[in-house]
Amino acid sequence: MEPTHKIGFKTLILSTGSVACVEILLLILPKACGIEAMIALGSARIVDISLIVLVICLSEGLSAIGVSSTGLTRGIKRGILWSAAVGCGAFLGFGIFYVLGINLLPLIHTQVPSGGLGILLLFCVGGLVGPIAEELFFRGIVYGFLRQWGALAAVMGSTLLFVPAHPGGYNQIPAMQAIGGVLFSLSYEIEKNLLVPILIHVLGNISIFVLSLGTLPGP
């Protein structure tokens, strides 16, 4: 079957170069200018989104990553359905392991700031801006480029690059990141609409943050 995700080498290089430059600045500017880390990260991700969209619009067109005005409503509906299914599956799986005496919650626990502003920034940056930027790059660009060698190569390749972008994790084993990378890629492959993995990623991150809020120390 002819792949519907088509990203050329030029678009890949321009997008990757743009993101790399932003990441380098993210390592330098916050310390040099005294910018709060989460604000700097959020600003960097907004710049990432803007640059990637600009590159795609000037080269392939947004339809190359499954984004169009006609597919907006369908993408939102399918994204919500996928998110609900994933959430139910995760709840069932975690529940079964818990009954067996295995607590898997540490796998998804995230360090949550104690202050109200910090929590708000976490939800805005980590729950919304970050997932959009990541899906644009790892699924829209990387997956779209690798798809010319088949769905398996695209799923595995984009996931292998996605996991190292999320260092740390329980016992340094990025199990949830790997599962997420595969899930986002499969939903993109099946639905042919980038809004679907974006919504799964956004709602998934927000759910993890809400669960992690319950572990905050008391006053």
Side-chain angles (χ1 to χ4, degrees):
M1 181 180 294
E2 183 70 14
T4 56
H5 316 291
K6 298 179 180 179
I7 294 297
F9 183 70
K10 178 181 178 181
T11 303
L12 173 70
I13 293 300
L14 289 175
S15 298
T16 303
S18 300
V19 171
C21 289
V22 173
E23 293 305 303
I24 292 172
L25 291 176
L26 182 61
L27 293 174
I28 299 173
L29 290 182
K31 294 179 180 179
C33 302
I35 305 174
E36 200 277 329
M38 190 61 72
I39 294 177
L41 179 61
S43 301
R45 294 296 170 261
I46 291 174
V47 174
D48 283 336
I49 293 170
S50 302
L51 291 175
I52 292 172
V53 170
L54 178 61
V55 169
I56 295 174
C57 287
L58 294 177
S59 54
E60 318 283 348
L62 288 177
S63 60
I65 59 172
V67 175
S68 66
S69 57
T70 57
L72 179 62
T73 301
R74 182 181 183 279
I76 293 174
K77 289 180 179 179
R78 298 299 297 178
I80 292 174
L81 286 175
W82 272 80
S83 299
V86 170
C88 290
F91 180 80
L92 179 62
F94 275 60
I96 291 174
F97 276 98
Y98 186 79
V99 170
L100 295 175
I102 303 174
N103 182 14
L104 295 181
L105 286 179
L107 285 172
I108 63 172
H109 180 267
T110 297
Q111 189 66 37
V112 179
S114 57
L117 178 59
I119 293 175
L120 178 61
L121 287 173
L122 175 66
F123 275 80
C124 290
V125 177
L128 180 61
V129 179
I132 293 175
E134 290 177 3
E135 292 309 309
L136 273 171
F137 182 72
F138 289 107
R139 252 58 64 181
I141 299 298
V142 176
Y143 186 97
F145 176 74
L146 296 176
R147 184 58 179 80
Q148 60 188 302
W149 290 288
L152 180 60
V155 171
M156 297 305 295
S158 60
T159 300
L160 286 173
L161 292 174
F162 176 75
V163 170
H166 300 79
Y170 186 65
N171 287 339
Q172 303 303 311
I173 301 176
M176 293 297 104
Q177 291 87 341
I179 293 173
V182 172
L183 174 64
F184 303 147
S185 297
L186 288 178
S187 69
Y188 185 39
E189 174 66 29
I190 293 171
E191 299 294 345
K192 310 293 189 284
N193 191 315
L194 193 63
L195 287 175
V196 176
I198 285 177
L199 275 173
I200 299 173
H201 199 159
V202 167
L203 295 176
N205 278 18
I206 289 175
S207 298
I208 289 172
F209 297 157
V210 170
L211 288 173
S212 298
L213 279 173
T215 63
L216 283 175

